[in-house]
Amino acid sequence: MTNSQNTRVIVVGAGPVGMVCALALNRRGIPVTVLESEPAPVMDQRAATLHPSTLEMLDELGIAERIQPHALISSTYCFHDRPTGTVVAEFDLGRLKDEIKFPYVLQYEQYKLTAAIAEVYGNESDFDVRFSHTVESVDQTANGVEVQYSSPAGTEYMTAPYVIGCDGGRSTVRKAADIEFEGFTYPERFIKIATGFDFKTVNSTLSLRNYFSDPNEWANLFKVRGETPEGLWRVILPIANGEDDATALSAERVEERLQKFFPKAGAYPVEYVNVYGVNQRVAASFRQGRVLLAGDSAHVNNPIGGMGMNGGIHDAINLAGKLTEVIGGATESLLDLYSRQRRHAAVNYVQAQTMANKRLLEERDPEVRQSNFDELRRTAENFDSARAYMRRAALFDSLEDAASIS
Ligand SMILES: Cc1cc2nc3c(=O)[nH]c(=O)nc-3n(C[C@H](O)[C@H](O)[C@H](O)COP(=O)(O)OP(=O)(O)OC[C@H]3O[C@@H](n4cnc5c(N)ncnc54)[C@H](O)[C@@H]3O)c2cc1C
């Protein structure tokens, strides 16, 4: 590496993956400019679970210790049979305390992670985060990439040896590089409702992370810290086909859903509600010359299991290591290896597991449901099978398997 002009990498998108990627490059001595279309850090209420494998990576970047005091710590997660109100199985990451550094997840909203990184490192030289900068086109030349963006100053251009698209599922960078986004969209959407009502006071079997199987209406229930010491519970439910967004988001319908989920006296206090379209898609390649993809720009999945952002952060760390080597003179084929390894992890672990999670929760056949429950119970009871299950769900297996690809 010679001077910062030649090595500065452009990261498009200041979401959790873009910010972690920028931080990981910056820690390795690579100057970065992050271009973000929003005028300020977004209070994105999507991801909230950081798995143990991801915490190890954030720890290496020096950020895990900073965020932990502001997060909820959750070692257990629970599968419930919603119609009968019984617990099917509980998994406890604490059982892995002798083999993993963080035997728990942190419930920590993604907007807090991006804000924490910006706050701690954003003012350091060579970590340049620019809001209100919307990337419009990306063109590769023989020696680099030219990015056109609009900012309050008008239309401008910037060149860099490499550009990383961390600009989400509708990625402009991916489209500019003409990379296919293969997969499908589910017919139904999901609704997420956050309430200050404390479900734990009325159901002592709850963990901070709960999955409810129900042939008519599955549910997820998670606790997050929110902005108050009491925290919030988030309920995620499918929206039936035919119900439009306006109806789904109406106060009456939200109240009706919550009362059906858990009937109680008085109305629920609702903090926020969002509707999401749900896709399972993976980019055909995570590299096109000097353009790289990471995070949702490269893969999207349903949120059951909390894997999208975690897998994206794993992309970011893998890519930052290899790109640093390439900028330092190593062969560019390392970037193809990045694409192969992380695409393998996305397809065989994140996609496979999240689709299986959804099938498990929505299964309608009574015999199949029963046999699923029996298997989950057996898995949770035996140490070796519970360990294998938890390591897979925490994405450790995906990392080990991807690392074995050459
Ligand atoms: C209900 C729900 C719950 C979820 N829970 C979890 C969870 O618990 N754990 C988990 O791992 N995942 C979860 N996910 C998935 C997770 O939210 C995403 O995987 C994650 O946000 C991806 O991060 P990202 O940085 O790749 O993209 P994004 O968070 O989408 O960030 C992309 C950024 O790029 C910016 N941008 C877009 N276009 C441009 C442009 N042209 N120029 C400049 N900037 C641009 C955007 O403004 C945005 O800030 C959940 C998703 C949903 C819907």
Side-chain angles (χ1 to χ4, degrees), residues 208-266:
L208 297 191
R209 297 166 63 215
N210 303 278
Y211 301 94
F212 291 83
S213 166
D214 188 330
N216 298 312
E217 188 187 62
W218 58 264
N220 287 180
L221 179 66
F222 295 95
K223 188 155 190 196
V224 293
R225 191 77 176 251
E227 299 296 325
T228 61
E230 296 77 31
L232 296 170
W233 286 88
R234 288 179 174 181
V235 188
I236 298 181
L237 301 159
I239 299 176
N241 297 330
E243 183 169 315
D244 61 31
D245 282 7
T247 308
L249 290 164
S250 69
E252 301 73 38
R253 184 73 183 109
V254 168
E255 178 65 17
E256 188 186 9
R257 280 180 179 277
L258 289 172
Q259 290 290 351
K260 185 177 165 206
F261 181 66
F262 181 81
K264 76 171 192 71

CSV table of all heavy atoms in Angstrom, one decimal, residues 208-266:
chain,number,residue,atom,x,y,z
A,208,LEU,N,-36.2,-15.0,26.1
A,208,LEU,CA,-36.2,-13.7,25.4
A,208,LEU,C,-36.4,-13.9,23.9
A,208,LEU,O,-36.7,-13.0,23.2
A,208,LEU,CB,-34.9,-13.0,25.7
A,208,LEU,CG,-34.6,-12.6,27.1
A,208,LEU,CD1,-33.5,-11.6,27.2
A,208,LEU,CD2,-35.9,-12.0,27.8
A,209,ARG,N,-36.2,-15.2,23.4
A,209,ARG,CA,-36.4,-15.5,22.0
A,209,ARG,C,-37.3,-16.7,21.9
A,209,ARG,O,-36.9,-17.8,22.4
A,209,ARG,CB,-35.1,-15.8,21.3
A,209,ARG,CG,-34.1,-14.6,21.3
A,209,ARG,CD,-32.7,-15.0,20.9
A,209,ARG,NE,-32.7,-15.5,19.6
A,209,ARG,CZ,-31.9,-16.5,19.2
A,209,ARG,NH1,-31.1,-17.1,20.0
A,209,ARG,NH2,-31.9,-16.9,17.9
A,210,ASN,N,-38.4,-16.5,21.2
A,210,ASN,CA,-39.4,-17.6,21.2
A,210,ASN,C,-40.0,-17.8,19.8
A,210,ASN,O,-40.3,-16.8,19.1
A,210,ASN,CB,-40.6,-17.3,22.1
A,210,ASN,CG,-40.2,-17.0,23.5
A,210,ASN,OD1,-40.0,-17.9,24.3
A,210,ASN,ND2,-40.0,-15.7,23.9
A,211,TYR,N,-40.1,-19.1,19.4
A,211,TYR,CA,-40.7,-19.5,18.2
A,211,TYR,C,-42.0,-20.3,18.4
A,211,TYR,O,-41.9,-21.3,19.2
A,211,TYR,CB,-39.7,-20.3,17.3
A,211,TYR,CG,-38.4,-19.6,17.1
A,211,TYR,CD1,-37.3,-19.8,17.9
A,211,TYR,CD2,-38.3,-18.8,16.0
A,211,TYR,CE1,-36.1,-19.1,17.7
A,211,TYR,CE2,-37.1,-18.1,15.7
A,211,TYR,CZ,-36.0,-18.3,16.6
A,211,TYR,OH,-34.9,-17.6,16.3
A,212,PHE,N,-43.1,-19.8,17.9
A,212,PHE,CA,-44.4,-20.5,18.1
A,212,PHE,C,-44.8,-21.2,16.8
A,212,PHE,O,-45.1,-20.5,15.8
A,212,PHE,CB,-45.5,-19.5,18.5
A,212,PHE,CG,-45.2,-18.9,19.9
A,212,PHE,CD1,-44.4,-17.9,20.1
A,212,PHE,CD2,-45.9,-19.5,21.0
A,212,PHE,CE1,-44.2,-17.3,21.3
A,212,PHE,CE2,-45.7,-18.9,22.2
A,212,PHE,CZ,-44.8,-17.9,22.4
A,213,SER,N,-45.0,-22.5,16.9
A,213,SER,CA,-45.5,-23.3,15.7
A,213,SER,C,-47.0,-23.3,15.8
A,213,SER,O,-47.6,-23.4,16.9
A,213,SER,CB,-45.0,-24.7,15.8
A,213,SER,OG,-45.7,-25.5,14.9
A,214,ASP,N,-47.6,-23.0,14.7
A,214,ASP,CA,-49.1,-23.0,14.6
A,214,ASP,C,-49.6,-23.2,13.2
A,214,ASP,O,-49.1,-22.4,12.3
A,214,ASP,CB,-49.6,-21.6,15.1
A,214,ASP,CG,-51.1,-21.6,15.3
A,214,ASP,OD1,-51.8,-22.3,14.6
A,214,ASP,OD2,-51.6,-20.8,16.2
A,215,PRO,N,-50.4,-24.2,12.9
A,215,PRO,CA,-50.8,-24.5,11.5
A,215,PRO,C,-51.6,-23.3,11.0
A,215,PRO,O,-51.7,-23.2,9.7
A,215,PRO,CB,-51.7,-25.7,11.6
A,215,PRO,CG,-51.9,-26.0,13.1
A,215,PRO,CD,-50.9,-25.2,13.9
A,216,ASN,N,-52.2,-22.5,11.8
A,216,ASN,CA,-53.0,-21.4,11.3
A,216,ASN,C,-52.3,-20.0,11.3
A,216,ASN,O,-52.5,-19.2,10.5
A,216,ASN,CB,-54.3,-21.3,12.2
A,216,ASN,CG,-55.2,-22.5,12.0
A,216,ASN,OD1,-55.4,-23.0,10.9
A,216,ASN,ND2,-55.6,-23.1,13.2
A,217,GLU,N,-51.5,-19.8,12.3
A,217,GLU,CA,-50.8,-18.5,12.4
A,217,GLU,C,-49.5,-18.7,13.3
A,217,GLU,O,-49.6,-18.6,14.5
A,217,GLU,CB,-51.7,-17.4,13.0
A,217,GLU,CG,-51.0,-16.1,12.9
A,217,GLU,CD,-51.9,-15.0,13.6
A,217,GLU,OE1,-52.1,-15.1,14.8
A,217,GLU,OE2,-52.3,-14.1,12.9
A,218,TRP,N,-48.4,-19.0,12.7
A,218,TRP,CA,-47.2,-19.1,13.5
A,218,TRP,C,-46.8,-17.7,14.1
A,218,TRP,O,-47.3,-16.7,13.6
A,218,TRP,CB,-46.0,-19.7,12.7
A,218,TRP,CG,-45.7,-18.9,11.4
A,218,TRP,CD1,-46.1,-19.1,10.2
A,218,TRP,CD2,-44.9,-17.7,11.4
A,218,TRP,NE1,-45.6,-18.1,9.3
A,218,TRP,CE2,-44.9,-17.3,10.0
A,218,TRP,CE3,-44.1,-17.0,12.3
A,218,TRP,CZ2,-44.2,-16.2,9.6
A,218,TRP,CZ3,-43.4,-15.8,11.9
A,218,TRP,CH2,-43.5,-15.4,10.5
A,219,ALA,N,-45.9,-17.7,15.0
A,219,ALA,CA,-45.5,-16.4,15.6
A,219,ALA,C,-44.0,-16.5,16.1
A,219,ALA,O,-43.5,-17.6,16.4
A,219,ALA,CB,-46.4,-16.0,16.7
A,220,ASN,N,-43.4,-15.4,16.1
A,220,ASN,CA,-42.1,-15.2,16.8
A,220,ASN,C,-42.3,-14.1,17.8
A,220,ASN,O,-43.0,-13.2,17.6
A,220,ASN,CB,-41.0,-14.6,15.8
A,220,ASN,CG,-40.5,-15.7,14.8
A,220,ASN,OD1,-39.6,-15.3,14.0
A,220,ASN,ND2,-41.0,-16.9,14.8
A,221,LEU,N,-41.6,-14.3,19.0
A,221,LEU,CA,-41.7,-13.3,20.0
A,221,LEU,C,-40.3,-13.1,20.6
A,221,LEU,O,-39.7,-14.0,21.2
A,221,LEU,CB,-42.7,-13.8,21.1
A,221,LEU,CG,-42.9,-12.9,22.3
A,221,LEU,CD1,-43.6,-11.6,21.9
A,221,LEU,CD2,-43.7,-13.6,23.4
A,222,PHE,N,-39.8,-11.9,20.5
A,222,PHE,CA,-38.5,-11.5,21.0
A,222,PHE,C,-38.5,-10.3,21.9
A,222,PHE,O,-39.3,-9.4,21.6
A,222,PHE,CB,-37.6,-11.2,19.8
A,222,PHE,CG,-37.4,-12.3,18.9
A,222,PHE,CD1,-38.2,-12.5,17.8
A,222,PHE,CD2,-36.4,-13.2,19.1
A,222,PHE,CE1,-38.0,-13.5,16.9
A,222,PHE,CE2,-36.2,-14.3,18.3
A,222,PHE,CZ,-37.0,-14.5,17.2
A,223,LYS,N,-37.6,-10.3,22.8
A,223,LYS,CA,-37.5,-9.1,23.6
A,223,LYS,C,-36.3,-8.3,23.1
A,223,LYS,O,-35.2,-8.8,22.8
A,223,LYS,CB,-37.3,-9.4,25.1
A,223,LYS,CG,-37.3,-8.2,25.9
A,223,LYS,CD,-37.8,-8.4,27.3
A,223,LYS,CE,-38.0,-7.0,28.0
A,223,LYS,NZ,-38.1,-7.1,29.4
A,224,VAL,N,-36.4,-7.0,23.0
A,224,VAL,CA,-35.3,-6.1,22.7
A,224,VAL,C,-35.3,-5.0,23.7
A,224,VAL,O,-36.2,-4.8,24.5
A,224,VAL,CB,-35.5,-5.4,21.3
A,224,VAL,CG1,-35.4,-6.5,20.2
A,224,VAL,CG2,-36.8,-4.6,21.2
A,225,ARG,N,-34.1,-4.3,23.8
A,225,ARG,CA,-33.9,-3.3,24.8
A,225,ARG,C,-34.7,-2.0,24.5
A,225,ARG,O,-35.2,-1.3,25.4
A,225,ARG,CB,-32.4,-3.0,24.9
A,225,ARG,CG,-32.0,-2.1,26.0
A,225,ARG,CD,-31.9,-3.0,27.3
A,225,ARG,NE,-31.5,-2.3,28.4
A,225,ARG,CZ,-30.3,-2.5,29.0
A,225,ARG,NH1,-29.4,-3.4,28.5
A,225,ARG,NH2,-29.9,-1.8,30.1
A,226,GLY,N,-34.9,-1.7,23.2
A,226,GLY,CA,-35.6,-0.5,22.9
A,226,GLY,C,-34.8,0.7,23.4
A,226,GLY,O,-33.6,0.7,23.5
A,227,GLU,N,-35.6,1.7,23.9
A,227,GLU,CA,-34.9,2.9,24.4
A,227,GLU,C,-35.2,3.1,25.9
A,227,GLU,O,-34.9,4.2,26.5
A,227,GLU,CB,-35.4,4.1,23.6
A,227,GLU,CG,-35.1,4.1,22.2
A,227,GLU,CD,-33.6,4.1,21.9
A,227,GLU,OE1,-32.9,4.8,22.6
A,227,GLU,OE2,-33.2,3.5,20.9
A,228,THR,N,-35.8,2.1,26.6
A,228,THR,CA,-36.1,2.2,28.0
A,228,THR,C,-35.6,1.0,28.7
A,228,THR,O,-35.4,-0.1,28.1
A,228,THR,CB,-37.7,2.3,28.2
A,228,THR,OG1,-38.2,1.0,27.7
A,228,THR,CG2,-38.3,3.4,27.5
A,229,PRO,N,-35.4,1.1,30.0
A,229,PRO,CA,-34.9,0.0,30.8
A,229,PRO,C,-35.8,-1.2,30.8
A,229,PRO,O,-35.4,-2.4,30.8
A,229,PRO,CB,-34.8,0.5,32.2
A,229,PRO,CG,-34.8,2.0,32.1
A,229,PRO,CD,-35.5,2.3,30.9
A,230,GLU,N,-37.1,-1.0,30.6
A,230,GLU,CA,-38.1,-2.1,30.6
A,230,GLU,C,-38.0,-2.9,29.3
A,230,GLU,O,-38.4,-4.0,29.3
A,230,GLU,CB,-39.5,-1.5,30.7
A,230,GLU,CG,-39.9,-0.8,32.1
A,230,GLU,CD,-39.3,0.6,32.1
A,230,GLU,OE1,-39.2,1.2,31.0
A,230,GLU,OE2,-38.9,1.1,33.2
A,231,GLY,N,-37.6,-2.3,28.2
A,231,GLY,CA,-37.5,-3.0,27.0
A,231,GLY,C,-38.9,-3.1,26.3
A,231,GLY,O,-39.9,-2.7,26.8
A,232,LEU,N,-38.8,-3.8,25.1
A,232,LEU,CA,-40.0,-4.0,24.3
A,232,LEU,C,-40.1,-5.5,23.9
A,232,LEU,O,-39.0,-6.1,23.8
A,232,LEU,CB,-40.0,-3.2,23.1
A,232,LEU,CG,-40.0,-1.6,23.2
A,232,LEU,CD1,-39.7,-1.0,21.8
A,232,LEU,CD2,-41.3,-1.2,23.7
A,233,TRP,N,-41.3,-6.0,23.6
A,233,TRP,CA,-41.4,-7.3,23.0
A,233,TRP,C,-41.9,-7.1,21.6
A,233,TRP,O,-42.7,-6.2,21.3
A,233,TRP,CB,-42.5,-8.1,23.8
A,233,TRP,CG,-42.0,-8.6,25.1
A,233,TRP,CD1,-42.0,-8.0,26.3
A,233,TRP,CD2,-41.3,-9.9,25.3
A,233,TRP,NE1,-41.5,-8.8,27.3
A,233,TRP,CE2,-41.0,-9.9,26.7
A,233,TRP,CE3,-40.9,-11.0,24.5
A,233,TRP,CZ2,-40.4,-11.0,27.3
A,233,TRP,CZ3,-40.3,-12.1,25.1
A,233,TRP,CH2,-40.0,-12.1,26.5
A,234,ARG,N,-41.2,-7.8,20.7
A,234,ARG,CA,-41.6,-7.8,19.3
A,234,ARG,C,-42.3,-9.0,18.9
A,234,ARG,O,-41.8,-10.1,19.1
A,234,ARG,CB,-40.4,-7.7,18.4
A,234,ARG,CG,-39.7,-6.4,18.4
A,234,ARG,CD,-38.5,-6.5,17.5
A,234,ARG,NE,-37.8,-5.3,17.3
A,234,ARG,CZ,-36.7,-5.2,16.5
A,234,ARG,NH1,-36.2,-6.2,15.9
A,234,ARG,NH2,-36.1,-4.0,16.4
A,235,VAL,N,-43.5,-8.9,18.3
A,235,VAL,CA,-44.2,-10.1,17.8
A,235,VAL,C,-44.2,-10.0,16.3
A,235,VAL,O,-44.4,-9.0,15.7
A,235,VAL,CB,-45.7,-10.0,18.3
A,235,VAL,CG1,-46.4,-11.3,17.9
A,235,VAL,CG2,-45.9,-9.7,19.7
A,236,ILE,N,-43.8,-11.1,15.7
A,236,ILE,CA,-43.8,-11.2,14.2
A,236,ILE,C,-44.8,-12.3,13.8
A,236,ILE,O,-44.8,-13.4,14.4
A,236,ILE,CB,-42.4,-11.6,13.7
A,236,ILE,CG1,-41.4,-10.5,14.1
A,236,ILE,CG2,-42.4,-11.7,12.2
A,236,ILE,CD1,-40.0,-10.7,13.5
A,237,LEU,N,-45.6,-11.9,12.9
A,237,LEU,CA,-46.7,-12.8,12.4
A,237,LEU,C,-46.8,-12.7,10.9
A,237,LEU,O,-46.5,-11.7,10.3
A,237,LEU,CB,-48.1,-12.3,13.0
A,237,LEU,CG,-48.2,-12.3,14.5
A,237,LEU,CD1,-49.3,-11.4,14.9
A,237,LEU,CD2,-48.4,-13.7,15.1
A,238,PRO,N,-47.3,-13.8,10.3
A,238,PRO,CA,-47.6,-13.7,8.8
A,238,PRO,C,-48.9,-12.9,8.5
A,238,PRO,O,-49.8,-12.9,9.4
A,238,PRO,CB,-47.7,-15.1,8.4
A,238,PRO,CG,-48.2,-15.9,9.6
A,238,PRO,CD,-47.7,-15.1,10.8
A,239,ILE,N,-48.9,-12.2,7.4
A,239,ILE,CA,-50.1,-11.5,7.0
A,239,ILE,C,-50.8,-12.4,5.9
A,239,ILE,O,-50.1,-12.7,4.9
A,239,ILE,CB,-49.8,-10.1,6.4
A,239,ILE,CG1,-49.1,-9.3,7.5
A,239,ILE,CG2,-51.0,-9.4,5.9
A,239,ILE,CD1,-48.7,-7.9,6.9
A,240,ALA,N,-52.0,-12.7,6.1
A,240,ALA,CA,-52.7,-13.5,5.1
A,240,ALA,C,-52.8,-12.8,3.8
A,240,ALA,O,-52.9,-11.6,3.7
A,240,ALA,CB,-54.1,-13.8,5.6
A,241,ASN,N,-52.6,-13.6,2.7
A,241,ASN,CA,-52.8,-13.0,1.3
A,241,ASN,C,-54.1,-12.4,1.2
A,241,ASN,O,-55.1,-12.9,1.7
A,241,ASN,CB,-52.7,-14.1,0.3
A,241,ASN,CG,-51.3,-14.8,0.3
A,241,ASN,OD1,-50.3,-14.2,0.7
A,241,ASN,ND2,-51.3,-16.1,0.0
A,242,GLY,N,-54.2,-11.2,0.6
A,242,GLY,CA,-55.4,-10.6,0.4
A,242,GLY,C,-55.6,-9.4,1.4
A,242,GLY,O,-56.5,-8.5,1.2
A,243,GLU,N,-54.9,-9.4,2.5
A,243,GLU,CA,-55.0,-8.3,3.4
A,243,GLU,C,-54.0,-7.2,3.0
A,243,GLU,O,-52.8,-7.5,2.9
A,243,GLU,CB,-54.7,-8.7,4.9
A,243,GLU,CG,-54.8,-7.6,5.9
A,243,GLU,CD,-54.8,-8.2,7.3
A,243,GLU,OE1,-55.4,-9.2,7.6
A,243,GLU,OE2,-54.1,-7.5,8.1
A,244,ASP,N,-54.5,-6.0,2.8
A,244,ASP,CA,-53.5,-4.9,2.3
A,244,ASP,C,-52.8,-4.3,3.4
A,244,ASP,O,-53.1,-4.5,4.6
A,244,ASP,CB,-54.3,-3.9,1.4
A,244,ASP,CG,-55.4,-3.2,2.2
A,244,ASP,OD1,-55.2,-3.0,3.4
A,244,ASP,OD2,-56.4,-2.8,1.6
A,245,ASP,N,-51.7,-3.6,3.1
A,245,ASP,CA,-50.9,-3.0,4.1
A,245,ASP,C,-51.6,-2.0,5.0
A,245,ASP,O,-51.4,-2.1,6.3
A,245,ASP,CB,-49.7,-2.2,3.5
A,245,ASP,CG,-48.6,-3.1,3.0
A,245,ASP,OD1,-48.8,-4.4,3.0
A,245,ASP,OD2,-47.6,-2.6,2.5
A,246,ALA,N,-52.5,-1.2,4.4
A,246,ALA,CA,-53.2,-0.2,5.3
A,246,ALA,C,-54.1,-0.9,6.3
A,246,ALA,O,-54.1,-0.5,7.5
A,246,ALA,CB,-54.1,0.6,4.4
A,247,THR,N,-54.7,-2.0,5.9
A,247,THR,CA,-55.5,-2.8,6.9
A,247,THR,C,-54.6,-3.4,8.0
A,247,THR,O,-54.9,-3.3,9.2
A,247,THR,CB,-56.4,-3.9,6.2
A,247,THR,OG1,-57.1,-3.3,5.1
A,247,THR,CG2,-57.3,-4.6,7.2
A,248,ALA,N,-53.6,-4.0,7.5
A,248,ALA,CA,-52.6,-4.7,8.4
A,248,ALA,C,-52.1,-3.8,9.4
A,248,ALA,O,-51.9,-4.1,10.6
A,248,ALA,CB,-51.5,-5.4,7.6
A,249,LEU,N,-51.8,-2.5,9.0
A,249,LEU,CA,-51.1,-1.6,9.9
A,249,LEU,C,-52.1,-0.8,10.7
A,249,LEU,O,-51.7,0.0,11.6
A,249,LEU,CB,-50.3,-0.6,9.0
A,249,LEU,CG,-49.0,-1.2,8.4
A,249,LEU,CD1,-48.5,-0.3,7.3
A,249,LEU,CD2,-48.0,-1.5,9.4
A,250,SER,N,-53.4,-0.9,10.5
A,250,SER,CA,-54.4,-0.2,11.2
A,250,SER,C,-54.4,-0.5,12.7
A,250,SER,O,-54.2,-1.7,13.1
A,250,SER,CB,-55.8,-0.3,10.7
A,250,SER,OG,-56.3,-1.6,10.9
A,251,ALA,N,-54.7,0.4,13.6
A,251,ALA,CA,-54.6,0.2,15.0
A,251,ALA,C,-55.6,-0.9,15.4
A,251,ALA,O,-55.2,-1.7,16.3
A,251,ALA,CB,-55.0,1.5,15.8
A,252,GLU,N,-56.8,-1.0,14.8
A,252,GLU,CA,-57.8,-2.0,15.2
A,252,GLU,C,-57.2,-3.4,14.9
A,252,GLU,O,-57.3,-4.3,15.7
A,252,GLU,CB,-59.1,-1.8,14.4
A,252,GLU,CG,-59.8,-0.5,14.6
A,252,GLU,CD,-59.0,0.7,13.9
A,252,GLU,OE1,-58.5,0.5,12.8
A,252,GLU,OE2,-59.0,1.8,14.5
A,253,ARG,N,-56.7,-3.5,13.7
A,253,ARG,CA,-56.2,-4.9,13.3
A,253,ARG,C,-55.0,-5.3,14.1
A,253,ARG,O,-54.9,-6.5,14.5
A,253,ARG,CB,-55.8,-4.8,11.8
A,253,ARG,CG,-55.4,-6.1,11.2
A,253,ARG,CD,-56.6,-7.1,11.0
A,253,ARG,NE,-56.1,-8.4,10.5
A,253,ARG,CZ,-56.1,-9.5,11.2
A,253,ARG,NH1,-56.5,-9.5,12.4
A,253,ARG,NH2,-55.6,-10.6,10.7
A,254,VAL,N,-54.1,-4.3,14.4
A,254,VAL,CA,-52.9,-4.7,15.3
A,254,VAL,C,-53.4,-5.1,16.6
A,254,VAL,O,-52.9,-6.2,17.2
A,254,VAL,CB,-52.0,-3.4,15.3
A,254,VAL,CG1,-50.9,-3.6,16.4
A,254,VAL,CG2,-51.3,-3.2,14.0
A,255,GLU,N,-54.4,-4.4,17.2
A,255,GLU,CA,-54.9,-4.8,18.5
A,255,GLU,C,-55.5,-6.2,18.5
A,255,GLU,O,-55.4,-7.0,19.4
A,255,GLU,CB,-55.9,-3.7,19.0
A,255,GLU,CG,-56.6,-3.9,20.3
A,255,GLU,CD,-55.6,-3.9,21.5
A,255,GLU,OE1,-54.5,-3.4,21.4
A,255,GLU,OE2,-56.0,-4.5,22.6
A,256,GLU,N,-56.3,-6.4,17.4
A,256,GLU,CA,-57.0,-7.7,17.2
A,256,GLU,C,-55.9,-8.8,17.2
A,256,GLU,O,-56.1,-9.9,17.8
A,256,GLU,CB,-57.8,-7.6,15.9
A,256,GLU,CG,-58.7,-8.8,15.7
A,256,GLU,CD,-59.3,-8.7,14.3
A,256,GLU,OE1,-58.9,-7.9,13.4
A,256,GLU,OE2,-60.2,-9.5,14.0
A,257,ARG,N,-54.8,-8.6,16.5
A,257,ARG,CA,-53.8,-9.6,16.4
A,257,ARG,C,-53.2,-9.9,17.7
A,257,ARG,O,-52.9,-11.1,18.1
A,257,ARG,CB,-52.7,-9.2,15.4
A,257,ARG,CG,-53.0,-9.4,14.0
A,257,ARG,CD,-51.8,-8.9,13.1
A,257,ARG,NE,-52.1,-9.1,11.7
A,257,ARG,CZ,-51.9,-10.2,11.1
A,257,ARG,NH1,-51.4,-11.2,11.7
A,257,ARG,NH2,-52.2,-10.3,9.8
A,258,LEU,N,-52.8,-8.8,18.4
A,258,LEU,CA,-52.2,-9.0,19.7
A,258,LEU,C,-53.1,-9.7,20.7
A,258,LEU,O,-52.7,-10.6,21.5
A,258,LEU,CB,-51.7,-7.6,20.3
A,258,LEU,CG,-50.5,-7.0,19.6
A,258,LEU,CD1,-50.3,-5.6,20.1
A,258,LEU,CD2,-49.3,-7.9,19.7
A,259,GLN,N,-54.4,-9.3,20.7
A,259,GLN,CA,-55.4,-10.0,21.6
A,259,GLN,C,-55.5,-11.4,21.3
A,259,GLN,O,-55.7,-12.3,22.2
A,259,GLN,CB,-56.7,-9.2,21.5
A,259,GLN,CG,-56.7,-7.8,22.2
A,259,GLN,CD,-56.6,-7.9,23.7
A,259,GLN,OE1,-56.7,-8.9,24.3
A,259,GLN,NE2,-56.4,-6.7,24.3
A,260,LYS,N,-55.4,-11.8,20.0
A,260,LYS,CA,-55.5,-13.2,19.6
A,260,LYS,C,-54.3,-13.9,20.1
A,260,LYS,O,-54.3,-15.1,20.5
A,260,LYS,CB,-55.7,-13.3,18.1
A,260,LYS,CG,-55.9,-14.7,17.6
A,260,LYS,CD,-56.1,-14.7,16.1
A,260,LYS,CE,-55.9,-16.1,15.6
A,260,LYS,NZ,-55.5,-16.2,14.2
A,261,PHE,N,-53.1,-13.2,20.0
A,261,PHE,CA,-51.9,-13.9,20.4
A,261,PHE,C,-51.9,-14.1,21.9
A,261,PHE,O,-51.5,-15.2,22.4
A,261,PHE,CB,-50.7,-12.9,20.0
A,261,PHE,CG,-49.3,-13.5,20.4
A,261,PHE,CD1,-48.9,-14.7,19.8
A,261,PHE,CD2,-48.6,-12.9,21.3
A,261,PHE,CE1,-47.6,-15.2,20.1
A,261,PHE,CE2,-47.3,-13.4,21.7
A,261,PHE,CZ,-46.9,-14.6,21.1
A,262,PHE,N,-52.2,-13.1,22.6
A,262,PHE,CA,-52.4,-13.2,24.1
A,262,PHE,C,-53.5,-12.3,24.5
A,262,PHE,O,-53.3,-11.1,24.7
A,262,PHE,CB,-51.1,-12.9,24.8
A,262,PHE,CG,-51.3,-13.1,26.3
A,262,PHE,CD1,-51.2,-14.4,26.8
A,262,PHE,CD2,-51.6,-12.1,27.1
A,262,PHE,CE1,-51.4,-14.6,28.2
A,262,PHE,CE2,-51.8,-12.3,28.5
A,262,PHE,CZ,-51.7,-13.6,29.0
A,263,PRO,N,-54.7,-12.9,24.8
A,263,PRO,CA,-55.8,-12.1,25.3
A,263,PRO,C,-55.6,-11.5,26.6
A,263,PRO,O,-55.1,-12.1,27.5
A,263,PRO,CB,-57.0,-13.1,25.4
A,263,PRO,CG,-56.5,-14.4,24.8
A,263,PRO,CD,-55.0,-14.4,24.8
A,264,LYS,N,-55.8,-10.2,26.7
A,264,LYS,CA,-55.6,-9.5,28.0
A,264,LYS,C,-56.6,-8.4,28.2
A,264,LYS,O,-57.2,-7.9,27.2
A,264,LYS,CB,-54.2,-9.0,28.1
A,264,LYS,CG,-53.9,-7.7,27.4
A,264,LYS,CD,-52.5,-7.2,27.7
A,264,LYS,CE,-52.3,-5.8,27.2
A,264,LYS,NZ,-53.1,-4.8,27.9
A,265,ALA,N,-56.8,-8.0,29.4
A,265,ALA,CA,-57.7,-6.8,29.6
A,265,ALA,C,-57.0,-5.5,29.2
A,265,ALA,O,-55.8,-5.4,29.4
A,265,ALA,CB,-58.0,-6.7,31.1
A,266,GLY,N,-57.8,-4.7,28.6
A,266,GLY,CA,-57.2,-3.4,28.2
A,266,GLY,C,-56.4,-3.5,26.9
A,266,GLY,O,-55.9,-4.6,26.5
